[in-house]
Amino acid sequence: MKIYISFIIIMCTIQMSYSQFTNGNLTENPRLSDGYTGHEEALINDFIKLEFDTENSKISFNFISEDTEGTIGGLDYKISFSPDNPDNAYFRGSALVKTLDTDNFLRDGHLMWEKFFYKSKYPKIEFASSQVVHFGNNNYKVIGDLTIKGVTKEVIINFMLDTQKLLGKTTIYTSDFGVNIHDKRDQNKLNIVFDFPLLR
């Protein structure tokens, strides 16, 4: 008889605990109360620290005034980033000027000249973050110093995180870095996209 009563008490306790869980009382678990909703975002919350597929990462760009698209390679970067701790994140990396590719052999050769990117003296383009800010809905602003042709300027890269990649976008003017494709600043506008696939 005592064993039977004890069994009933245990079953009632389990049922009550299950009811509390299924009635939406999830706020005591900090991993489930950080403002994200939906299945995909829940998966993002499971990331402890992101790891990236460096082999398939790429940077592409569009030189607006001439509607010229291209890529740059030779990427060597280190990203330390956890979605639930962006304050301690950092982004550092470089790309090789010689890999600039606009699908035009003559144009790419001209871009290596001293007047433009001056490859022989400044073989790398470099970036180092100073701050990472979370703006909600898996959006992050990465603020840092971009160095091209020996000139360093602060830029802001807007990143969006999903379960497949970290995708970033920014806009610069090449003339701000001493790369004067055209005389007028507005004609040197360059949109840049950073595509960093995730490893799980």
Side-chain angles (χ1 to χ4, degrees):
M1 184 67 176
K2 289 181 179 180
I3 295 175
Y4 178 73
I5 293 174
S6 298
F7 176 76
I8 291 176
I9 292 173
I10 291 171
M11 293 303 294
C12 288
T13 302
I14 292 173
Q15 181 63 34
M16 290 175 64
S17 298
Y18 177 77
S19 297
Q20 291 176 351
F21 182 80
T22 55
N23 285 336
N25 186 20
L26 304 178
T27 57
E28 294 179 0
N29 186 339
R31 289 179 60 78
L32 299 175
S33 61
D34 57 1
Y36 293 131
T37 58
H39 178 65
E40 181 175 281
E41 292 177 337
L43 290 175
I44 290 173
N45 291 341
D46 290 337
F47 289 136
I48 297 174
K49 187 175 181 180
L50 302 183
E51 295 184 10
F52 297 91
D53 182 355
T54 56
E55 184 177 346
N56 292 303
S57 295
K58 62 182 179 180
I59 297 177
S60 56
F61 57 83
N62 185 4
F63 193 70
I64 303 302
S65 64
E66 297 182 5
D67 194 25
T68 298
E69 296 182 347
T71 60
I72 187 170
L75 305 184
D76 181 11
Y77 69 86
K78 172 66 175 177
I79 298 176
S80 179
F81 180 55
S82 175
D84 61 357
N85 188 21
D87 290 342
N88 292 317
Y90 65 81
F91 291 64
R92 299 171 188 161
S94 63
L96 296 178
V97 170
K98 69 179 182 180
T99 65
L100 278 168
D101 184 0
T102 63
D103 199 28
N104 183 310
F105 178 77
L106 291 177
R107 177 170 53 209
D108 295 343
H110 291 162
L111 290 174
M112 302 298 112
W113 292 359
E114 180 178 348
K115 180 181 178 180
F116 302 115
F117 285 92
Y118 204 174
K119 178 195 70 174
S120 61
K121 186 173 182 179
Y122 304 104
K124 293 183 179 181
I125 295 174
E126 299 176 302
F127 177 82
S129 67
S130 57
Q131 186 179 9
V132 179
V133 183
H134 183 202
F135 273 76
N137 296 323
N138 302 321
N139 289 296
Y140 301 84
K141 290 187 182 295
V142 177
I143 304 166
D145 291 330
L146 177 65
T147 301
I148 301 175
K149 203 179 179 181
V151 178
T152 301
K153 299 283 186 180
E154 184 177 82
V155 299
I156 299 175
I157 307 174
N158 297 299
F159 278 100
M160 183 177 68
L161 173 66
D162 62 28
T163 57
Q164 302 297 321
K165 66 177 64 178
L166 188 63
L167 186 67
K169 297 181 180 180
T170 193
T171 297
I172 66 170
Y173 294 86
T174 61
S175 54
D176 290 348
F177 297 88
V179 182
N180 297 287
I181 309 297
H182 296 291
D183 292 334
K184 294 182 179 180
R185 182 176 185 267
D186 288 347
Q187 292 181 323
N188 292 300
K189 186 176 181 180
L190 189 74
N191 288 339
I192 307 172
V193 175
F194 305 83
D195 188 338
F196 299 136
L198 300 178
L199 293 174
R200 289 303 304 267

